């Protein structure tokens, strides 16, 4: 089933006979595994003792987890006003230790696609790997051109792309706990295999980070892909892109608001006139839950299947107008919401308290109160 999940994903993302893959537990595992493969490739094939990877500031922090865990040097590239990676910066910072570049196809903050064809050209010119993080966007953007939406090419059809991740547990509609990581050439996958022949438990060979894994999740992912099929995925994508068009129209109907980026389905917006988090508070009071962003402050509405139901966009347009009025005369100068990833727009603690407050929150999530 895993082999078939990989083959179906490679087919959707234009892989060829030289494409191999892994099924992982999610986007984060796919990204850290890709980063480890590039570190090992740099060491084993290019003899670079301290491999270095260049990634845009908008790339998902799971890459940084890999840099932290696997002690990989990193250079963070800025983005331009459209939130896409600054190619001149990338070109100027490639050095003798650089082993790979990262680009995203559907960034988490703004849903934009980095200039993957240009990154591919740079990668080929310098003999580097190029990972495309399609965790969020892979399974939805795959249908956009078929549906008549123009976008930057991002998948394995682009020369120079050597790996791509796409999460079956996002727009593949599988249960949480599954993602696919594709490598081209497939030998790259071997860079992170672990082989220990002298272990008393037997010669050990493991293809990735997981040990024992859930056959239930793998079979549910396989079943999800087969039951939707390409036509099912395409038809949901059509509804999602149409809904996004309507949400975008609602946003631009307010001169106080401005779009950030040019996403087809993950609509980010901010404001030069209002505190956008007051707009978020107004929306929250009416039952909407946006994600808060920073640098620049903004919100995003990442459209998913439930949002495509009749009436949702009309309700949003009505409530957004109310939220803009609320933000024009907020009851308190300081908004309740802020930019905290994964916290549903919860308030962001002041910078000096952020590290402790975040660690306290993580502790609290994992502890019950005193037992009485
Ligand atoms: C672009 C992108 N990459 C990676 C991830 C990480 O995925 P996961 O939460 O499945 O680990 C996300 C999560 O939203 C994402 O948006």
């Amino acid at each position: 089933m895993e082999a078939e999940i990989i083959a179906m994903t490679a087919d959707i993302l234009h892989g060829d006979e030289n494409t191999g893959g892994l099924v992982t537990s999610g986007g984060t595992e796919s990204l850290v595994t890709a980063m480890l493969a590039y570190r090992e490739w740099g060491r084993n094939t290019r003899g670079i003792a301290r491999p270095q990877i260049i990634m845009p500031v908008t790339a998902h922090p799971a890459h940084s987890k890999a840099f932290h865990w696997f002690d990989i040097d990193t250079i963070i590239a800025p983005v331009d006003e459209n939130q896409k990676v600054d190619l001149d910066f990338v070109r100027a910072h490639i050095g003798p230790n650089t082993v790979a570049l990262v680009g995203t196809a559907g960034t988490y903050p703004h849903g934009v696609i980095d200039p993957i064809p240009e990154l591919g050209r740079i990668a080929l010119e310098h003999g580097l790997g190029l990972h495309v993080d399609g965790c969020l966007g892979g399974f939805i953007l795959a249908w956009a051109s078929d549906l008549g939406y123009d976008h930057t090419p991002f998948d394995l059809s682009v020369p120079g792309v050597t790996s791509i991740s796409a999460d079956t547990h996002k727009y593949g509609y599988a249960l949480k706990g599954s993602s696919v990581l594709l490598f081209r050439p497939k030998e790259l996958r071997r860079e992170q295999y672990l082989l220990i022949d002298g272990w008393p438990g037997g010669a050990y060979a493991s293809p990735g980070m997981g040990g024992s894994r859930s056959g239930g999740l793998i079979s549910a992912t396989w079943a999800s892909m087969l039951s939707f099929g390409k036509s099912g995925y395409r038809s949901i994508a059509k509804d999602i892109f149409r809904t996004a068009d309507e949400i975008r129209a609602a946003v631009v109907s307010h001169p106080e608001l401005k779009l950030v980026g040019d996403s087809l389905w993950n609509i980010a917006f901010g404001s030069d006139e209002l505190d956008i988090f007051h707009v978020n508070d107004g929306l929250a009071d009416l039952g909407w839950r946006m994600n808060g962003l920073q640098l620049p402050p903004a919100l995003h509405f990442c459209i998913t299947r439930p949002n495509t139901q009749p009436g949702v966009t009309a309700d949003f347009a009505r409530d957004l107008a109310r939220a803009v009025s609320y933000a024009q005369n907020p009851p308190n100068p300081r908004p309740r919401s802020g930019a905290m990833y994964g916290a549903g727009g919860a308030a962001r603690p002041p910078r000096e308290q952020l590290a402790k407050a975040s660690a306290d929150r993580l502790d609290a999530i994992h502890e019950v109160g005193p037992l009485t």
Side-chain angles (χ1 to χ4, degrees), residues 55-370:
M55 79 163 192
V57 64
T58 45
H60 194 275
H63 297 91
S64 303
K65 244 184 203 181
F67 303 149
H68 172 64
W69 283 341
F70 306 143
D71 199 18
I72 298 171
D73 289 338
T74 176
I75 294 184
I76 305 289
V79 290
D80 62 19
E81 66 288 357
N82 300 314
Q83 304 299 325
K84 298 176 187 186
V85 69
D86 177 339
L87 291 166
D88 290 336
F89 180 99
V90 172
R91 274 194 208 93
H93 286 80
I94 292 171
N97 290 345
T98 310
V99 291
L101 310 176
V102 170
T104 310
T107 58
Y108 169 82
H110 315 105
V112 303
I113 306 177
D114 280 315
I116 305 299
E118 287 80 359
L119 286 174
R121 273 196 284 280
I122 299 173
L124 285 172
E125 224 170 89
H126 294 268
L128 308 174
L130 169 58
H131 180 74
V132 175
D133 175 9
C135 285
L136 181 59
F139 274 99
I140 177 101
L141 291 170
W143 316 107
S145 330
D146 274 11
L147 293 166
Y149 290 87
D150 257 359
H151 65 82
T152 306
F154 67 89
D155 64 12
L156 291 164
S157 61
V158 178
V161 173
T162 50
S163 57
I164 183 167
S165 47
D167 290 358
T168 28
H169 75 189
K170 293 192 173 81
Y171 291 94
Y173 311 115
L175 295 175
K176 279 285 179 272
S178 100
S179 166
V180 178
L181 170 60
L182 299 174
F183 293 103
R184 182 190 59 191
K186 64 170 103 169
E187 289 74 48
L188 206 44
R189 174 174 57 185
R190 290 195 174 199
E191 296 289 352
Q192 54 78 54
Y193 282 173
L194 186 74
L195 313 170
I196 309 266
D197 63 1
W199 184 49
Y204 180 90
S206 175
M209 304 206 54
S212 307
R213 293 177 306 131
S214 160
L217 272 176
I218 292 164
S219 51
T221 301
W222 179 87
S224 181
M225 293 183 87
L226 284 188
S227 68
F228 284 104
K230 286 183 175 179
S231 61
Y233 282 152
R234 194 181 292 109
S235 134
I236 298 169
K238 185 175 181 191
D239 289 342
I240 288 179
F241 294 140
R242 188 230 342 119
T243 305
D245 290 343
E246 292 167 12
I247 297 295
R248 198 183 301 107
V251 170
V252 300
S253 73
H254 295 279
E256 302 85 353
L257 302 179
K258 58 168 195 192
L259 292 173
V260 188
D262 60 357
S263 183
L264 291 178
W265 95 108
N266 178 9
I267 309 301
F269 56 98
S271 175
D272 293 330
E273 293 169 39
L274 303 171
D275 185 327
I276 197 67
F277 297 116
H278 281 309
V279 177
N280 195 28
D281 289 352
L283 282 169
D285 289 343
L286 297 167
W288 297 91
R289 191 171 160 194
M290 305 285 108
N291 288 310
L293 311 172
Q294 58 179 348
L295 311 167
L299 309 178
H300 83 204
F301 187 164
C302 189
I303 314 298
T304 56
R305 215 160 27 133
N307 309 135
T308 64
Q309 293 170 80
V312 171
T313 51
D315 288 352
F316 180 77
R318 180 199 61 219
D319 291 346
L320 181 64
R322 291 182 186 160
V324 166
S325 306
Y326 171 97
Q328 279 159 340
N329 282 300
N332 297 302
R334 199 177 141 83
R336 300 191 307 276
S337 60
M340 288 284 289
Y341 179 87
R348 183 189 189 283
R351 183 171 287 275
E352 56 292 355
Q353 294 163 26
L354 186 63
K356 180 172 182 314
S358 299
D360 287 350
R361 177 174 153 262
L362 295 180
D363 283 352
I365 291 171
H366 295 92
E367 290 167 19
V368 290

